[in-house]
Amino acid sequence: MIKKAVIPAAGLGTRFLPATKAQPKEMLPIIDTPTIQYVVQECVDSGIEDILIISGKGKRSIEDHFDRNIELESRIQEKEDEAIYNQLRHIENMANIHFIRQKELNGLGDAIYHARFHCGNEPFAVLLGDTIIDSVIPVTQQLIDSYEQYQQTVIAVETVPWEKVSRYGIVGGTKLSDKILQLTELIEKPDRDKAPSNLAIAGRYILTPEIFPALEKTQRGKGNEIQLTDALRLMMKTESIVATQIEGKRYDIGNKLDFLKTTVEFALRRKEFSKPFEQFLRETIKRLDEQVK
Ligand code: UTP
């Protein structure tokens, strides 16, 4: 049983400056909901209610978002806006959320190392705080299913175009089933001709506690940071790791263009916006087409 999740959310978000100068990128909203709330919802939908958020400098608004705001609630009650009131109460009751601060930004591996006392000897899920994955079955649930079958560390992977493999962590291995690979290779940003596959790491993991000694032994790598991928590669020498090809669509909110695309796609699905927003998009495209003519 996987009962705990860790959400690293301490990073600087330099790709989204200047918006992230004084606010966490994990709080950037897709329409009206902060990115990290979608991530917490994925945990809850996967049966996990104990969540450790790795926080840091300038990230207080994440704590405030999941805390109770009685003054705001009573103001909304006075306005008799029941729908919003219920949403506010839902957010503060979603899960048992704990916070720990990563004082120095030493990378994703170091962020996860901060969870060692919280997770102890149990396997746990990791969900990147700036990545939403839209799917029918929550992706963390898909990974938990793989963990229950194989009792090994599980990495979520997705197919990416071959010309983009050099932007991702890429896995290689032998097929155990249609969607599952036994890992033999884990390469960070390989050249296209060196990539063992076009399956990229997708920002969700189930890690066993063996990751902590591996992280201790991991030397600083790219960007002078402790990289999770390096620790996993080290761990692979003694432990087996599987990769699960996920069913879902990944949105990296930390990237400005992806953020825009996500907003458009999610807005088209929202009942109150879909019609007028679709009309706006059609008119915009028509105007663009006319300009080209
Ligand atoms: P990223 O590498 O996307 O985050 O890490 P970043 O460093 O903030 O991004 P840029 O490149 O500067 O824009 C993925 C997740 O891991 C967290 C981030 O907050 C993000 O949610 N992270 C990253 C940490 O918690 N600590 C770190 O030291 C690095």
Side-chain angles (χ1 to χ4, degrees):
M1 267 287 274
I2 307 292
K3 288 186 271 176
K4 292 182 178 168
V6 176
I7 303 180
L12 285 176
T14 54
R15 285 168 299 153
F16 220 117
L17 283 167
T20 46
K21 186 177 173 219
Q23 65 171 330
K25 71 170 160 182
E26 294 79 8
M27 285 299 289
L28 290 170
I30 300 302
I31 310 175
D32 53 6
T33 303
T35 298
I36 197 162
Q37 191 182 320
Y38 290 95
V39 179
V40 168
Q41 189 66 51
E42 183 188 322
C43 292
V44 175
D45 292 342
S46 305
I48 294 175
E49 285 174 5
D50 184 302
I51 298 168
L52 178 68
I53 295 180
I54 314 296
S55 165
K57 198 170 181 295
K59 303 278 180 169
R60 277 295 298 273
S61 59
I62 299 180
E63 288 183 48
D64 289 342
H65 184 70
F66 292 103
D67 197 1
R68 190 161 187 195
N69 186 335
I70 293 175
E71 202 185 338
L72 181 63
E73 280 171 16
S74 49
R75 193 62 63 86
I76 298 296
Q77 258 180 327
E78 279 163 26
K79 288 170 77 179
E80 294 182 359
D81 190 338
E82 205 183 333
I84 288 289
Y85 179 78
N86 289 340
Q87 277 188 38
L88 294 179
R89 296 307 310 266
H90 166 73
I91 295 165
E92 72 200 36
N93 291 314
M94 286 176 88
N96 294 319
I97 303 183
H98 315 268
F99 294 88
I100 190 165
R101 284 171 79 94
Q102 185 187 16
K103 293 195 187 79
E104 278 176 55
L105 294 177
N106 289 323
L108 179 59
D110 177 63
I112 289 166
Y113 190 63
H114 281 68
R116 64 197 182 282
F117 298 119
H118 189 84
C119 295
N121 217 14
E122 288 175 47
F124 56 97
V126 171
L127 300 87
L128 298 190
D130 62 351
T131 302
I132 297 173
I133 306 185
D134 188 42
S135 58
V136 180
I137 300 170
V139 165
T140 295
Q141 181 65 62
Q142 297 177 32
L143 300 192
I144 291 174
D145 293 345
S146 299
Y147 178 79
E148 279 170 1
Q149 192 176 354
Y150 294 97
Q151 302 286 318
Q152 296 174 15
T153 291
V154 185
I155 303 179
V157 293
E158 62 172 357
T159 309
V160 294
W162 275 99
E163 60 274 18
K164 291 188 180 161
V165 288
S166 60
R167 296 188 198 169
Y168 297 94
I170 298 290
V171 302
T174 45
K175 264 195 163 190
L176 294 177
S177 72
D178 205 21
K179 297 273 171 204
I180 309 221
L181 277 184
Q182 186 75 63
L183 283 207
T184 52
E185 283 180 85
L186 202 52
I187 309 177
E188 199 52 62
K189 302 187 170 62
D191 290 338
R192 186 182 167 152
D193 54 333
K194 298 227 171 66
S197 75
N198 60 342
L199 292 172
I201 299 177
R204 300 288 189 266
Y205 310 80
I206 304 292
L207 300 178
T208 60
E210 282 73 30
I211 194 66
F212 297 122
L215 282 166
E216 267 165 29
K217 284 185 222 126
T218 302
Q219 304 290 318
R220 285 174 185 272
K222 195 178 154 277
N224 201 27
E225 293 182 338
I226 311 285
Q227 299 293 343
L228 177 62
T229 313
D230 292 342
L232 287 166
R233 198 179 310 106
L234 203 64
M235 207 173 98
M236 222 160 62
K237 291 182 181 161
T238 50
E239 309 277 329
S240 308
I241 300 179
V242 291
T244 293
Q245 218 175 318
I246 55 167
E247 279 170 35
K249 186 161 181 195
R250 183 162 77 102
Y251 299 92
D252 173 9
I253 305 302
N255 164 316
K256 289 176 190 173
L257 186 59
D258 258 28
F259 173 81
L260 281 173
K261 290 180 183 172
T262 314
T263 303
V264 171
E265 286 195 14
F266 280 47
L268 283 170
R269 273 189 248 152
R270 275 281 283 268
K271 237 185 11 217
E272 68 267 49
F273 303 124
S274 60
K275 283 259 159 59
F277 192 59
E278 185 185 328
Q279 196 184 341
F280 164 77
L281 288 179
R282 287 190 190 284
E283 284 163 10
T284 308
I285 290 166
K286 202 170 152 208
R287 210 173 45 242
L288 288 175
D289 284 346
E290 278 163 10
Q291 279 171 10
V292 175
K293 276 180 204 158

